[in-house]
Amino acid sequence: MRLILVAGTTRTAEIDGITAAGASRELLVHTPSADTEILTYGDTVRAPVTPVSPGGCPTPAVVTRAVRELLGFDVTVVDAGIATPTGAPTVAVGARPGDDIREPDPVRTAPGAFAAARSFGQGLPDDRIVVGETVPGGTTTAMAVLRALGEGPLSATSSSLPENPLGLKRRVVAEAFEASDLNPGQAAHTPELAVRFVGDPVLAVASGVVAGALESGTDVVLGGGTQLLAVAALVRHAGVPTPATLATTPYLAADVPDLGSNAAALDLDLAVADPGFDPSDGGPLAAYTDGVAKEGAGMGGALHLADEAGRLGEVRDATRTVLERVGNDESPASAADDAGRGTEGGS
Amino acid sequence: MRLILVAGTTRTAEIDGITAAGASRELLVHTPSADTEILTYGDTVRAPVTPVSPGGCPTPAVVTRAVRELLGFDVTVVDAGIATPTGAPTVAVGARPGDDIREPDPVRTAPGAFAAARSFGQGLPDDRIVVGETVPGGTTTAMAVLRALGEGPLSATSSSLPENPLGLKRRVVAEAFEASDLNPGQAAHTPELAVRFVGDPVLAVASGVVAGALESGTDVVLGGGTQLLAVAALVRHAGVPTPATLATTPYLAADVPDLGSNAAALDLDLAVADPGFDPSDGGPLAAYTDGVAKEGAGMGGALHLADEAGRLGEVRDATRTVLERVGNDESPASAADDAGRGTEGGS
């Protein structure tokens, strides 16, 4: 068992109001680096901040790490355009940070990175992998990619904000199609072009890894929410029909009522495991139960593994242990100054 | 516990007769990539060959991997100038492949990579690390670096060849000093310059990691032979006096009679653990007992860990299991066509 975290950036995250409000550009850009370090080492090493949402919700990477400390699975990080130094080891597949999708051709490295990641996925010796993502701003690019593939009906996305900025996301997506002179559905069956023109490098690399792994007979668990749904759509459009599993958190599932049917439409079993974080304990874990930072960094996939191992009940304490180590167990008020989490929860 | 494998290349390995005879340049250059993959995945992923010596001795990376499968420690690969694609995740510290030391200024990235690696080592959250290397041609550059530091008396090196090409190595080292206009001892107390002018990028990165780890209170086991002795010398010349352990194989120790006193001169405890490979079984493991590929890829460090855990007796069977998986259990005759191992054993 190996968890593969695909980590990268898109400058789409810098659009005002599209991702967790209050997080500065300087801090957002460190989130993937910090997530990869927390997952690899159990603490930050080179990254200057531990990511938390403006409401004080710690990055889901601490939950994934906590499960890793319980179960001991291997972790491999693939660099899908990380923009700041990370102390975590990463596999290179030629991806560079993605530009704002309102600019033409924002992810020029997508076709090459998709191909290299596919070949890497084919070569993996594992019987089974879990694939997760960390990319601030990623739900907006996921929405755009689903439309480019003609899978618009699947493109409902969630948000950590009290009001999901869906209107803003739709405007950004519309501008992206205009900037790259693309029409919805025009990239059907050419996933690498959908990602290149309106996506982000994490979608390119994650779909490449998943396509390659499925092609070589590896079982795949997609650990995440709507971004991993977009990954599955890309894999289907790459001509790989093998079923897989979508494992997500109860917080994400509660926010996307159509998730089950959307997953089924892509031949994915849906798995949802509840870590039992207590809304009444007032600590940082309560923020998850409030629907903040619902998913990310493979959290849903990790919870699924803990559930399979019959150890879901130990995740809460294990997460607290990791939180104490990363020094992120302050009150929401003090943590709010630190950083912003921009994947599912914040974008 | 974390094993850190520092992997890279120097074109010094391309000098005729300096490294395991019969290996082509094309294959030698893949050894670090293959070693990192075997250690990470238990098999090659992207690298086209499994490294073996001309005599059929498999890369020591299979032994290190076997111990990892027994004990379950973490592995982190640091890229110190890997020259071909690897599927293993690697930490970047700005190192590039090293040039032939007979050219002036062959490792321009050494000072920057040393500094970045030192900072990385300081940030590691581990209580204890084992540091190993994989770099074909590395014993010649280690000899040159020890002389540049003024530690020439420590610079005895071993070889996998029936006749250690010491004369050739000395000529290469002399040419290196001439090319970079350096005198023996002139780089004392400036380790980054010793490595830059007559060393290789693996020495720069490994000594940076070790210096940083020791400075931040992490226990360090140097897993290797004379190259790790050069790493220790660099660390001392960087002003870091903290004691550490040099853990090597019985094959390397038998080839360097002064190893114990050389280690003591650098404030290193020497640990030697014998995996009990049987010279009479005729299989690939017998090649180690013949003194081929004596050390590399952290093998001595891994054996030391197995010894501490009381599981040294299981290493032989575990190694056979890994060998079967990497498809490298052919007879020496057929394996001889495949590749060449160029670290301690072959350089």
Side-chain angles (χ1 to χ4, degrees):
Chain A
M1 234 307 301
R2 180 181 309 279
L3 188 143
I4 294 179
L5 182 64
V6 183
T9 54
T10 165
R11 300 197 69 170
T12 311
E14 296 176 10
I15 299 172
D16 261 357
I18 206 158
T19 183
S24 72
R25 295 180 181 191
E26 281 73 21
L27 293 176
L28 264 180
V29 76
H30 292 296
T31 295
S33 313
D35 280 352
T36 60
E37 292 183 353
I38 290 167
L39 199 51
T40 301
Y41 300 108
D43 206 344
T44 51
V45 174
R46 274 174 160 180
V49 291
T50 296
V52 294
S53 78
C57 188
T59 168
V62 301
V63 182
T64 308
R65 171 69 194 191
V67 176
R68 187 185 177 204
E69 293 184 7
L70 288 174
L71 304 184
F73 51 78
D74 283 331
V75 162
T76 299
V77 179
V78 183
D79 182 351
I82 297 172
T84 57
T86 173
T90 62
V91 175
V93 289
R96 302 283 309 151
D99 283 333
D100 186 332
I101 56 173
R102 295 173 307 173
E103 292 174 22
D105 203 1
V107 195
R108 278 176 209 87
T109 56
F114 175 82
R118 189 174 191 163
S119 162
F120 169 72
Q122 286 167 344
L124 285 169
D126 310 288
D127 295 331
R128 191 185 193 207
I129 59 171
V130 174
V131 178
E133 56 69 35
T134 171
V135 49
T139 57
T140 301
T141 42
M143 180 193 280
V145 160
L146 285 164
R147 291 191 182 170
L149 295 173
E151 303 282 3
L154 305 181
S155 67
T157 57
S158 68
S159 172
S160 71
L161 298 163
E163 295 164 46
N164 188 341
L166 267 176
L168 173 59
K169 286 181 177 179
R170 289 194 187 109
R171 278 199 303 282
V172 168
V173 170
E175 281 183 55
F177 278 100
E178 209 169 308
S180 283
D181 200 15
L182 197 73
N183 295 315
Q186 200 183 335
H189 311 303
T190 53
E192 64 277 30
L193 295 184
V195 173
R196 172 172 179 167
F197 290 116
V198 299
D200 65 61
V202 168
L203 291 172
V205 171
S207 58
V209 170
V210 172
L214 289 174
E215 282 168 327
S216 64
T218 301
D219 283 343
V220 176
V221 175
L222 304 166
T226 45
Q227 287 161 262
L228 273 296
L229 205 68
V231 167
L234 288 162
V235 168
R236 300 318 182 205
H237 281 259
V240 181
T242 320
T245 297
L246 181 71
T248 196
T249 67
Y251 321 116
L252 189 288
D255 200 50
V256 184
D258 294 338
L259 194 66
S261 57
N262 289 356
L266 293 167
D267 245 325
L268 305 174
D269 282 332
L270 181 63
V272 181
D274 189 341
F277 295 159
D278 187 350
S280 69
D281 83 352
L285 296 189
Y288 289 108
T289 65
D290 292 338
V292 186
K294 303 173 180 72
E295 174 62 273
M299 177 177 169
L303 292 175
H304 179 59
L305 296 178
D307 194 18
E308 285 183 332
R311 302 186 68 178
L312 199 55
E314 299 169 53
V315 173
R316 192 172 57 178
D317 285 349
T319 302
R320 285 208 183 98
T321 302
V322 176
L323 277 171
E324 276 164 34
R325 189 187 313 133
V326 302
N328 192 30
D329 46 351
E330 311 99 310
S331 70
S334 70
D337 300 328
D338 288 340
R341 169 79 204 167
T343 52
E344 292 287 350
S347 58
Chain B
M1 235 306 302
R2 180 181 309 279
L3 189 144
I4 294 180
L5 182 65
V6 183
T9 54
T10 165
R11 300 197 69 170
T12 311
E14 296 176 10
I15 299 171
D16 260 359
I18 205 157
T19 185
S24 72
R25 296 180 180 190
E26 282 72 22
L27 293 176
L28 262 182
V29 76
H30 293 295
T31 295
S33 314
D35 280 352
T36 62
E37 292 182 353
I38 289 167
L39 199 51
T40 301
Y41 300 109
D43 206 344
T44 51
V45 174
R46 274 175 159 179
V49 290
T50 297
V52 293
S53 78
C57 188
T59 168
V62 302
V63 182
T64 308
R65 171 69 193 189
V67 177
R68 187 184 178 206
E69 293 183 8
L70 289 175
L71 305 184
F73 52 78
D74 284 331
V75 163
T76 299
V77 179
V78 183
D79 182 352
I82 298 172
T84 56
T86 172
T90 62
V91 175
V93 289
R96 303 282 310 151
D99 283 334
D100 187 331
I101 56 173
R102 296 173 306 173
E103 292 174 21
D105 204 1
V107 196
R108 281 176 209 85
T109 56
F114 176 81
R118 189 173 191 164
S119 162
F120 169 72
Q122 287 168 343
L124 284 169
D126 309 288
D127 296 331
R128 190 185 195 205
I129 58 172
V130 174
V131 177
E133 58 67 35
T134 169
V135 48
T139 57
T140 300
T141 43
M143 178 193 281
V145 159
L146 284 164
R147 292 191 181 171
L149 295 173
E151 305 281 4
L154 306 180
S155 68
T157 56
S158 68
S159 172
S160 72
L161 298 164
E163 296 164 46
N164 187 343
L166 266 177
L168 173 59
K169 286 181 179 179
R170 289 195 187 109
R171 277 199 303 282
V172 168
V173 169
E175 281 183 56
F177 279 99
E178 208 170 309
S180 283
D181 199 16
L182 197 73
N183 294 317
Q186 200 183 336
H189 312 302
T190 53
E192 64 276 31
L193 295 184
V195 175
R196 172 171 178 168
F197 290 115
V198 298
D200 65 62
V202 168
L203 291 171
V205 172
S207 57
V209 170
V210 172
L214 289 175
E215 282 168 326
S216 64
T218 300
D219 283 344
V220 175
V221 175
L222 303 167
T226 46
Q227 287 161 262
L228 272 297
L229 204 67
V231 166
L234 288 161
V235 168
R236 299 319 182 204
H237 280 260
V240 181
T242 321
T245 299
L246 180 71
T248 196
T249 66
Y251 320 117
L252 189 287
D255 200 49
V256 185
D258 293 336
L259 194 65
S261 57
N262 289 355
L266 293 167
D267 245 325
L268 305 174
D269 282 334
L270 181 63
V272 181
D274 188 340
F277 295 160
D278 187 350
S280 68
D281 83 353
L285 295 190
Y288 289 108
T289 65
D290 292 339
V292 186
K294 304 173 179 71
E295 175 61 273
M299 177 177 169
L303 292 175
H304 179 57
L305 296 177
D307 194 18
E308 285 183 332
R311 302 184 69 177
L312 199 56
E314 299 169 53
V315 172
R316 192 174 56 181
D317 284 349
T319 303
R320 286 210 183 97
T321 302
V322 175
L323 277 171
E324 275 165 34
R325 189 188 313 134
V326 301
N328 192 29
D329 46 352
E330 311 100 311
S331 69
S334 68
D337 302 328
D338 288 340
R341 167 80 205 168
T343 52
E344 293 288 346
S347 58

